[in-house]
Amino acid sequence: MKNYYSILGVTPDSTFAEIKSAYRTLARKYHPDINPDGAQRFKDVSEAYSTLCDTKKRTQYDTINGFFKTEKTKTTSEKAHEEYKKTASEPINKEKFSKKFNDIFPKKKKSVPKRGDDINEDISITIKDALRGCDRTINVLHTSECPHCKGRKFINGAVCSFCDGTGEKSELRKITVKIPKNVKNGAKLRIANEGNFGENGGKNGDLYLKINIEQNSRIQISENNIIFKVPITPFEAVLGGNISIPSFDGNLSLKIPPKTHSGQKFRLAGQGVKQNGKIGDLIIVIDIEIPCSLSDDEIRLYEKLKKMSAQNIRENLLNG
């Protein structure tokens, strides 16, 4: 027999609310549409929740498998009998009697609206999307009220077959989200009413998306500045000249001075990120690279330069 408490990560003493919370967390993690390898685990989690969320089924399961709560709770009839023995010989006090009666047989509380839980998800975007903004369609796992039993778990005295007595259903919902321009890494976007459903007519929760900007080997964002590692050829570094640099808003022109070395930086003011009323700069970091494909003539020229060069650039390497 499966240990339903172990599957959900709860104990026989756990309340219904704790069991429900554990189920929702695991359902999101192992739903087949999100985790293709989690189909069997999702099935076990749903089976465990179907049993433990139903009072009658849970009692039968606990009895058969020997699960008992740490403290034995007295039944209502036992409490009533004890109170009767205490008060049988005392004069009847209507106010006192009414209070004790209400303690033993509390009035059923009215169902109050309860706001749905928030959903937290991560979303990865490129630096280009972060700087220019974009629309992204994502799949979000929602729990909503069962459309058959309306969250009551039972229909005509029997457990609802559609939701297996959970009173809710889980489904993936596609949501199109607008990512604002110049969004920062780690920022959180709030999409109102796109969380889980509210109970008893309560409002839905919200969806919170945490922005993760993917790493780029050539481009980094530091506060409002954009740091762009730009490759140039050896002859451009030696001779200098104007080079064209592709950017997200068109090409930029940069004048490279003769004898430019690798790692040298050039700052283009006002070409960075505009945010909070401030505009950063675009910082160009030069990276001298050898082209991947060289012609025979180019190789012969390099051989000629090798013969002509008398300088040892590693001569003072150990001298700092």
Side-chain angles (χ1 to χ4, degrees):
M1 181 66 70
K2 297 178 181 178
N3 187 332
Y4 290 152
Y5 292 107
S6 178
I7 289 174
L8 292 178
V10 296
T11 68
D13 294 322
S14 296
T15 64
F16 174 72
E18 292 169 337
I19 292 173
K20 186 175 182 180
S21 176
Y23 164 73
R24 284 182 170 175
T25 299
L26 294 174
R28 291 193 194 100
K29 183 177 181 181
Y30 294 107
H31 195 287
D33 291 334
I34 292 179
N35 184 355
D37 298 327
Q40 183 58 48
R41 187 66 192 275
F42 180 77
K43 183 179 179 181
D44 292 341
V45 168
S46 299
E47 179 184 327
Y49 181 60
S50 175
T51 296
L52 299 184
C53 74
D54 182 278
T55 303
K56 186 176 179 181
K57 286 184 180 180
R58 183 178 180 182
T59 301
Q60 292 175 343
Y61 175 80
D62 288 349
T63 302
I64 293 173
N65 294 278
F67 289 112
F68 301 101
K69 293 183 178 181
T70 54
E71 294 183 3
K72 184 178 180 299
T73 304
K74 293 181 180 180
T75 65
T76 301
S77 59
E78 289 174 334
K79 289 181 180 179
H81 182 66
E82 289 183 0
E83 291 299 325
Y84 170 76
K85 289 195 299 182
K86 288 180 182 179
T87 59
S89 59
E90 298 177 3
I92 296 177
N93 183 311
K94 290 183 179 181
E95 184 178 346
K96 185 177 180 181
F97 179 81
S98 176
K99 182 178 182 305
K100 288 195 175 290
F101 183 86
N102 290 331
D103 289 341
I104 299 171
F105 301 100
K107 293 180 180 180
K108 187 177 180 180
K109 295 182 179 179
K110 291 184 178 180
S111 297
V112 295
K114 182 181 178 183
R115 183 179 179 276
D117 293 334
D118 293 331
I119 297 176
N120 291 276
E121 297 284 351
D122 288 4
I123 182 171
S124 295
I125 61 174
T126 63
I127 287 183
K128 178 180 178 180
D129 289 338
L131 293 175
R132 302 186 67 179
C134 64
D135 291 334
R136 293 290 297 273
T137 299
I138 59 175
N139 291 318
V140 181
L141 183 64
H142 285 77
T143 58
S144 58
E145 184 182 82
C146 173
H148 285 225
C149 67
K150 304 300 180 184
R152 293 189 295 270
K153 304 179 184 180
F154 294 89
I155 297 179
N156 297 326
V159 173
C160 175
S161 59
F162 185 83
C163 65
D164 293 326
T166 63
E168 58 190 33
K169 67 172 183 176
S170 297
E171 62 179 354
L172 281 175
R173 187 184 304 167
K174 286 188 176 182
I175 298 175
T176 300
V177 180
K178 187 173 185 64
I179 308 297
K181 185 178 180 180
N182 295 328
V183 67
K184 288 191 174 182
N185 187 49
K188 273 196 172 185
L189 303 182
R190 172 178 170 268
I191 297 89
N193 300 318
E194 287 294 349
N196 287 322
F197 78 103
E199 298 178 3
N200 305 318
K203 292 183 178 180
N204 291 349
D206 298 329
L207 170 64
Y208 287 91
L209 293 179
K210 182 182 178 183
I211 302 297
N212 295 317
I213 299 178
E214 298 171 356
Q215 293 292 319
N216 187 302
S217 61
R218 291 202 176 274
I219 305 174
Q220 294 180 355
I221 299 176
S222 177
E223 296 182 349
N224 284 17
N225 294 328
I226 301 174
I227 303 173
F228 196 176
K229 189 176 181 181
V230 175
I232 64 172
T233 62
F235 70 83
E236 287 175 325
V238 173
L239 303 176
N242 289 316
I243 63 171
S244 180
I245 303 173
S247 73
F248 299 130
D249 296 316
N251 290 344
L252 298 173
S253 180
L254 177 66
K255 185 175 182 179
I256 299 293
K259 299 180 182 180
T260 293
H261 59 80
S262 201
Q264 195 166 336
K265 296 179 180 179
F266 300 90
R267 184 181 295 267
L268 299 181
Q271 296 292 331
V273 177
K274 182 178 181 180
Q275 197 169 55
N276 300 325
K278 297 180 179 179
I279 302 178
D281 301 330
L282 175 60
I283 301 173
I284 304 295
V285 181
I286 296 299
D287 181 27
I288 300 174
E289 291 187 7
I290 303 295
C292 295
S293 178
L294 293 174
S295 67
D296 292 340
D297 288 340
E298 287 175 313
I299 292 175
R300 279 192 289 270
L301 284 173
Y302 274 109
E303 289 176 345
K304 188 176 180 179
L305 285 171
K306 178 181 177 182
K307 292 177 181 179
M308 294 175 59
S309 178
Q311 184 179 0
N312 182 2
I313 62 174
R314 292 177 292 277
E315 183 177 5
N316 296 314
L317 187 64
L318 299 179
N319 296 331

